[in-house]
Amino acid sequence: MRLPDFEAWAMFAAVVEHRSFTDAARALSVSKATVSKAVTRLEQHLDTSLFSRTSRRLALTESGRRLADHAARILAEGAAAEEAARDETAVLAGTVRLGAPMTFGLIRVAPLLAQFMRDYPLVNVDLHLSDAHIDIIDMGLDATLRIADMPDSSLRARRLADVQIHIVAAPAYLATRGRPSHPSDLGAHDCLCYANAATPDTWKLNGPGEQHVAVQVRPRLLTNSGDAMLPALIGGLGIAMLPDFIIGAGLASGELEEILPEWRPPPLGVHLVTPPSRLRPARVDALLDFLARHHGC
């Protein structure tokens, strides 16, 4: 039985992560020629090309895309196994790459990271903030926080908390346009809609007596950022459906009012999502455990 060429798989994964043979070689502290030979050796063994190479561009082939996740897991599990074998009393050090939604990351995650880095002075955090649905394998992230209903996937997801969603408007808008008394009234109003939702112009709500409705709304503003809605929302230009961490301050100050309080979208979960492997460096586990302990921040 011929053993897999683990070194070649790991170097292939590094090239995918860094999108460059040169940068992969630098990260692995080897020569570019060593990386290139390892990838070529793997291609010859698999009898397929993994990259399309030109003088200006490096792109995965279809075979390369199919095998990239396997390679990333091999590299990650090898690194995690080595770290797990070290003395458990060793000082945690190195970099953790973490993703988070933009506003939630700024308001809830960034303050926690400051505390975490004080507790673990040798651990660095590479924080990637984006409201887009990102591929944590492709991005090379150790973990990401997602606010969503998680579909079945090969990723591992741990639900940390619920996020409540509210339907809100400014008093000035309600004074001018009237206050909806039932979700069916929303279709006649200007609405501010979140573009990254599965159906931005259809609001699904649960109400008294286990009622469920889906309301078609008219987007006056469509954006992929909840924060970007706030000026128009507070300025009285429409009704929005937003999570409490975005509109909490506006509700507390009176700049915004909750409407249809007996009707709510299903709560979304804050999930801590990691790649499929259970093996992780200790520094990653330390950050994940820290975030889980403080999920009510």
Side-chain angles (χ1 to χ4, degrees), residues 150-164:
M150 292 297 299
D152 292 336
S153 75
S154 62
L155 301 176
R156 302 176 63 82
R158 177 181 178 183
R159 192 181 185 104
L160 301 184
D162 286 343
V163 171
Q164 296 298 327

Side-chain angles (χ1 to χ4, degrees), residues 123-270:
V123 177
N124 307 316
V125 179
D126 182 353
L127 179 62
H128 178 88
L129 296 178
S130 174
D131 285 332
H133 183 84
I134 59 175
D135 185 323
I136 67 172
I137 302 296
D138 184 58
M139 293 290 297
L141 300 179
D142 295 300
T144 190
L145 288 156
R146 285 185 184 165
I147 301 175
D149 287 325
M150 292 297 299
D152 292 336
S153 75
S154 62
L155 301 176
R156 302 176 63 82
R158 177 181 178 183
R159 192 181 185 104
L160 301 184
D162 286 343
V163 171
Q164 296 298 327
I165 312 296
H166 306 266
I167 304 173
V168 295
Y173 178 88
L174 299 174
T176 303
R177 299 291 299 275
R179 182 183 296 268
S181 59
H182 187 271
S184 59
D185 298 334
L186 292 171
H189 285 265
D190 293 332
C191 292
L192 316 177
C193 299
Y194 184 55
N196 285 343
T199 54
D201 59 352
T202 300
W203 291 1
K204 297 178 180 179
L205 306 171
N206 299 333
E210 298 186 357
Q211 297 180 74
H212 307 285
V213 298
V215 182
Q216 192 79 22
V217 298
R218 182 177 66 246
R220 179 79 192 281
L221 173 65
L222 182 65
T223 175
N224 64 355
S225 168
D227 269 341
M229 296 184 202
L230 284 177
L233 182 61
I234 294 172
L237 297 178
I239 296 172
M241 189 167 67
L242 287 169
D244 48 15
F245 61 84
I246 290 182
I247 47 83
L251 288 174
S253 68
E255 292 179 299
L256 297 173
E257 294 182 22
E258 184 171 13
I259 59 177
L260 301 172
E262 68 277 17
W263 290 90
R264 292 279 184 86
L268 294 175
V270 179

Side-chain angles (χ1 to χ4, degrees), residues 2 18 56 72-73 88-90 106-107 136 139 153 157 187 199 207 212-213 243 264 283 288-289 296:
R2 176 178 176 178
H18 295 281
R56 295 185 177 181
R73 285 196 290 272
E88 291 184 359
T89 63
L106 292 171
I107 295 174
I136 67 172
M139 293 290 297
S153 75
T199 54
H212 307 285
V213 298
R264 292 279 184 86
R283 63 182 178 273
L288 300 188
D289 290 343

Side-chain angles (χ1 to χ4, degrees), residues 1 19 24 78 86 102 113-114 192 229 240-241 252 273 283 289:
M1 174 182 175
R19 296 177 172 82
R86 295 174 189 155
M102 179 64 71
L113 292 182
L192 316 177
M229 296 184 202
M241 189 167 67
V273 182
R283 63 182 178 273
D289 290 343

